[in-house]
Amino acid sequence: MRLNIAAAFALFANLAAAGVAMPRQSGNRQVFAHYMVGLTSGQSQDQWQKDISEAKSAGIDGFALNVGSADSWNAQQLQLAYDTASSNGFSLFLSFDMAASSWTVDQVVSLVNQYKGASSQLKVNGKPFVSTFEGPNWADNWASVRSATGDIFLVPDWSSLGPQGVGSKLSQIDGAFNWGAWPNANEYTITTGNDQAYKSSLQGKAYMMGVSPYFYTDLPQYNKNWYSSSDSLWYDRWKQVLDIQPEYIEIITWNDYGESSYINDPVAAQIVSGAETYVNGFGHSAFRFVLPYFISAYKAGNANVDLPSEGAVAWYRTTPATVCGDGGTVWGQGGGASAASGTKDVISIIALSNSPKDITVAIGGSSQTVSPSSSVGKASFYQVDFSGKTGAVTITLDGKSTTGPEITNNCPSTGHVNFNAVAIQV
């Protein structure tokens, strides 16, 4: 589900102790975000500082730096990342992209050894934490990596094998990461069946659960054009986290604009060619508003933790799903139905409050007050149908209001529907 380029995704782990990133021990629940180093050519230290500061303020413990083997900027950008993280009490670990890249044992060993001593390197039981994107065919090489690095704590994503396949390789790993953070093709919501299967197959070894707010990609040059149902995904998945209670969580992603899974506002230099048509103007930073609460609840094992602040995040498309053609976008990876069948014309909202409250949603001149359809702890979920309505969207909670981009009946300039959503915070 990645771009077929030598791209890197990043997953950081933040272990703030006296302002310095210190090694974590197993048993401490942690939350990371997936960061694509493959998009950082020429990136400044200021951008690393901005990203790390924003992630840390949201309660994220770190980034997973997913690196491709052939990117000429790796040396510069990885050093900038580790140095910046070290000075911010933030942690990092390497996530080797083995779907888009070919790696030798020497290359992997060299990178692990180079950064294993950094104060920002995430460690578990004194071992540097290492992950992958795919690479099950590389599994037999990890013994050599362990030997040449003094051992590692390996939690790969081998999702192509499925839970049982991963379970057949337990002797080679310390845990596993489940990339499956979205509903399957032709399914509107995601279940925890795969999560439960992983936990069973891992037999007590560490489980890292994938969590994502959204998915839409339309990049013909990589033969990618699908939307995964995301109308309630951000709420559903965090509610599931509280049920599953994995050892680790990886948010997918921090900055994968090409797949619309990002949780920040677009950085122009990092947008893959072609994605700007559905990314520009569609900020996702508001998705982070709920993270301090959900992360605190996850780590406490209790949804009734104190709220950092009351408010809400709302996300919605800016046109109806059938305002014009779907551009060939299908419903889910490998699906055949139109993406328009996999989404509703709704404004989705997660509100955080000490008691469930009604929310007022105005679209143009039409206003309605709605009650939550679901709640978990101090988080409530709402949906408002915008069928037949156009105009600016204003969300009001407890007297606080935010207005977001207009919903229109105008087909985008591409000539087809943009299935990405904009997120706004109240």
Side-chain angles (χ1 to χ4, degrees):
M1 297 178 68
R2 306 228 178 155
L3 301 179
N4 187 20
I5 58 176
F9 291 67
L11 173 2
F12 277 77
N14 167 23
L15 317 161
V20 177
M22 301 295 291
R24 293 258 187 184
Q25 299 303 307
S26 57
N28 289 343
R29 294 170 179 164
Q30 297 176 77
V31 178
F32 314 115
H34 199 75
Y35 196 109
M36 296 180 68
V37 178
L39 300 176
T40 63
S41 177
Q43 181 159 297
S44 67
Q45 189 273 339
D46 287 347
Q47 185 63 50
W48 282 110
Q49 179 64 56
K50 181 176 186 291
D51 288 339
I52 288 171
S53 295
E54 290 179 349
K56 189 173 179 180
S57 67
I60 293 170
D61 294 304
F63 288 151
L65 300 171
N66 185 312
V67 290
S69 62
D71 292 334
S72 61
W73 52 90
N74 279 345
Q76 178 189 38
Q77 293 301 324
L78 289 175
Q79 194 64 56
L80 281 174
Y82 272 93
D83 288 348
T84 307
S86 292
S87 63
N88 283 270
F90 202 69
S91 298
L92 312 176
F93 64 87
L94 297 166
S95 180
F96 294 93
D97 195 323
M98 295 185 168
S101 300
S102 296
W103 291 89
T104 66
V105 170
D106 286 346
Q107 285 176 308
V108 172
V109 167
S110 177
L111 281 180
V112 172
N113 279 337
Q114 182 173 355
Y115 295 107
K116 68 182 182 183
S119 64
S120 50
Q121 170 63 54
L122 174 66
K123 292 183 179 179
V124 176
N125 299 329
K127 304 172 186 178
F129 194 109
V130 174
S131 189
T132 72
F133 178 70
E134 286 300 333
N137 294 334
W138 212 84
D140 292 341
N141 292 319
W142 286 108
S144 297
V145 174
R146 290 182 187 274
S147 176
T149 59
D151 211 356
I152 59 174
F153 192 83
L154 180 62
V155 183
D157 158 40
W158 291 341
S159 298
S160 59
L161 296 180
Q164 290 187 334
V166 171
S168 71
K169 296 183 179 293
L170 286 185
S171 64
Q172 296 170 304
I173 61 177
D174 299 289
F177 168 37
N178 173 19
W179 185 257
W182 304 273
N184 294 326
N186 305 315
E187 295 181 7
Y188 193 69
T189 56
I190 188 171
T191 71
T192 58
N194 213 27
D195 302 296
Q196 298 285 7
Y198 264 95
K199 291 190 72 173
S200 177
S201 294
L202 285 168
Q203 298 179 31
K205 292 197 172 186
Y207 176 52
M208 186 152 67
M209 180 175 172
V211 176
S212 186
Y214 214 86
F215 195 99
Y216 167 57
T217 184
D218 182 9
L219 296 172
Q221 66 269 41
Y222 304 116
N223 296 312
K224 295 168 55 171
N225 189 4
W226 74 89
Y227 161 82
S228 296
S229 294
S230 304
D231 291 346
S232 62
L233 180 60
W234 198 223
Y235 173 79
D236 292 341
R237 202 62 176 144
W238 279 108
K239 186 176 181 181
Q240 291 167 358
V241 161
L242 300 181
D243 291 335
I244 296 295
Q245 291 292 328
E247 285 76 12
Y248 306 108
I249 292 168
E250 184 170 344
I251 297 170
I252 313 171
T253 63
W254 182 264
N255 65 333
D256 190 348
Y257 305 107
E259 296 185 350
S260 306
S261 58
Y262 52 98
I263 57 169
N264 63 354
D265 290 337
V267 177
Q270 292 186 8
I271 301 174
V272 174
S273 178
E276 65 278 351
T277 61
Y278 55 89
V279 166
N280 287 340
F282 288 76
H284 283 187
S285 289
F287 279 124
R288 298 201 305 268
F289 171 72
V290 298
L291 288 181
Y293 166 69
F294 278 127
I295 290 173
S296 178
Y298 154 65
K299 290 183 176 181
N302 177 8
N304 289 316
V305 295
D306 291 340
L307 272 184
S309 62
E310 293 193 335
V313 55
W315 66 100
Y316 58 94
R317 291 186 326 280
T318 56
T319 70
T322 56
V323 71
C324 51
D326 61 19
T329 304
V330 296
W331 181 7
Q333 186 177 20
S338 170
S341 300
T343 183
K344 300 173 184 177
D345 292 340
V346 292
I347 298 167
S348 302
I349 304 166
I350 302 172
L352 301 180
S353 59
N354 286 304
S355 60
K357 297 177 180 178
D358 291 348
I359 282 185
T360 299
V361 179
I363 307 169
S366 173
S367 178
Q368 60 180 305
T369 299
V370 294
S371 300
S373 59
S374 175
S375 294
V376 57
K378 297 176 180 179
S380 297
F381 182 69
Y382 312 70
Q383 284 189 325
V384 175
D385 191 326
F386 67 76
S387 300
K389 300 172 185 175
T390 60
V393 174
T394 299
I395 312 294
T396 302
L397 172 67
D398 263 357
K400 294 192 302 182
S401 296
T402 296
T403 299
E406 291 185 351
I407 294 172
T408 78
N409 284 324
N410 301 324
C411 186
S413 61
T414 57
H416 59 77
V417 172
N418 177 1
F419 287 96
N420 193 10
V422 65
I424 61 174
Q425 178 183 331
V426 179

